[in-house]
Amino acid sequence: MLQEFDGAARILNLEPGIWKILTHPKRQITVSCPIQMDNGEIEVFTGYRVQYNITLGPAKGGIRYHPGVTLDEVTALAAWMTWKCAVAHIPFGGGKGGVICDPTKMSRREIEALTRRYIAEIVDAIGPEKDVPAPDVNTDAQIMAWVMDTYSMHVGHTSTAVVTGKPIEMGGSLGRREATGRGVMIAARESAKHLGLNIKGATVAVQGFGNVGSISAELLASQVGATIVAVTDWKGGVYNPKGLDIPKLLDYVKQHKTVDGFAGAEPLAHTDLFTLDVDILIPAALENQITIDNAPKIKAKVIVEGANGPTTPDAHKYLHEHGVFVVPDILANSSGVTTSYFEWVQDRYGYFWTEKEVNERLEAKMCEAFNAVLQTSLKYRVDMRTAAYIVAISRVATVTRMRGMYA
Ligand code: NAD
């Protein structure tokens, strides 16, 4: 994060004082959460909430439950959220939370107890005006419902806007589930437009067929007529140079939990996905997938980073130098947080939009963000990732200067 920040800050000639402010987390909270487990014993779980920067508005960012959570990781993720919200041009700062636990070894009751205690421990720090959590690794809509309920019990009234990613019935937004994939589709379409590539019939390979990957693939095929030729997931991959039938593949995955074995396509090894002769590559699975080892084999003209951090810095440098147009994660997958912002707006307003309205507003926000980054990249003659950081840092820096020093 700091490496990406420094590169952009140097180009911006950011003054040392603002530089210092923007490279320090505003607030890091560590809490201990004692829980009575199902076997009657008491366990104590460590939880964190980091509000990296709240200059533009309340902190925004998910809560993850994982044995490998550390304060350093949560802080870096909170910083990324700061830049992602600023690029998306929504009035939020960046936050992130995490609890060191292994939810795969816990009962639903234990997870509920842990969620409620963790929220009770940080209750003074969160709220619609302060910090608005959301789902992340191993947390879902039900957990967000418990977050909302616990917070509401503490403040004495129902507060839907304290958290996003809630079930639709209790203040969630229509279109949220599809939002990140929809943004990836828009980013791919706008990239093609900029490069003079016809998106209709353009060939696409997608790594990962979960929320982001499957919806990006489905929308690229159904909305703009791209041809999805290859998909991989945790188990294997499928390839059909004439194009995969995405609705059929979605049905197959519903039953088999993997794309592996899908009829009407050849099997594809994980490592072969990146070497395919396609126009657009969408990494939508895990971090650090495109490395300096496989980057030279990539033939795609455009990479749209659906996942967070799928490209290592040296691979990114190589790709940029070899003319590959990379849409960075903080822009490409920002539609998820933009729709979380829409959820928060609707909750505060108490008036809910149709799915069509959500999608239209998302289209406008995503195009605005894409164009701001593209124009910055052309102005400074830098890659799209550096440009996204320049846009984000200058937005936060401008408001920091305007607000001045409180002392
Ligand atoms: P998900 O769990 O729904 O899907 C992940 C997919 O990756 C699954 O299909 C899984 O089988 C596949 N996968 C796992 N290991 C793989 C491997 N070695 N090779 C190929 N595929 C593999 O997760 P998601 O919500 O789609 O998130 C994917 C990425 O996008 C993550 O980096 C996440 O942080 C990022 N992201 C998600 C959202 C969102 O709204 N869901 C928003 C922003 C960023």
Side-chain angles (χ1 to χ4, degrees), residues 84 176 180 207-213 232-235 270 284-287 289 306-308 333 336:
K84 191 180 288 189
R176 171 65 189 92
T180 308
Q207 187 195 39
F209 206 62
N211 176 280
V212 180
T232 54
D233 67 10
W234 63 278
K235 191 152 181 229
H270 279 128
L286 311 164
E287 63 282 0
Q289 295 300 297
N308 284 320
N333 66 36

Side-chain angles (χ1 to χ4, degrees), residues 80 107 138-139 209 260 274 282 297 402:
W80 263 309
S107 70
N138 292 329
T139 55
F209 206 62
D260 195 40
F274 292 142
I282 301 178
K297 298 182 194 139
M402 283 172 172

Side-chain angles (χ1 to χ4, degrees), residues 110-130:
E110 289 169 341
I111 293 173
E112 176 176 354
L114 175 59
T115 302
R116 290 187 182 280
R117 185 59 189 248
Y118 167 64
I119 293 304
E121 294 292 345
I122 61 169
V123 76
D124 291 334
I126 63 170
E129 306 271 356
K130 297 180 181 175

Side-chain angles (χ1 to χ4, degrees), residues 201 203 227-230 238-244 264-266 278:
T203 50
T227 307
I228 316 301
V229 296
V238 285
Y239 173 63
N240 184 340
K242 294 203 184 88
L244 297 161
E266 300 162 27
V278 291

Side-chain angles (χ1 to χ4, degrees), residues 64 77 81 84 96 135-137 176-181 184 206-215 231-237 253 257-259 270-271 273-274 283-287 289 305-310 329 332-337 340:
R64 68 174 50 179
L77 293 167
M81 286 305 296
K84 191 180 288 189
K96 203 80 178 188
D136 194 70
V137 175
R176 171 65 189 92
R177 197 183 65 82
E178 300 82 8
T180 308
V184 169
V206 185
Q207 187 195 39
F209 206 62
N211 176 280
V212 180
S214 71
I215 291 163
V231 170
T232 54
D233 67 10
W234 63 278
K235 191 152 181 229
V253 171
K257 309 282 172 240
T258 172
V259 299
H270 279 128
T271 46
L273 183 91
F274 292 142
L286 311 164
E287 63 282 0
Q289 295 300 297
E305 294 184 336
N308 284 320
D329 47 8
N333 66 36
S334 66
S335 284
V337 76
S340 293

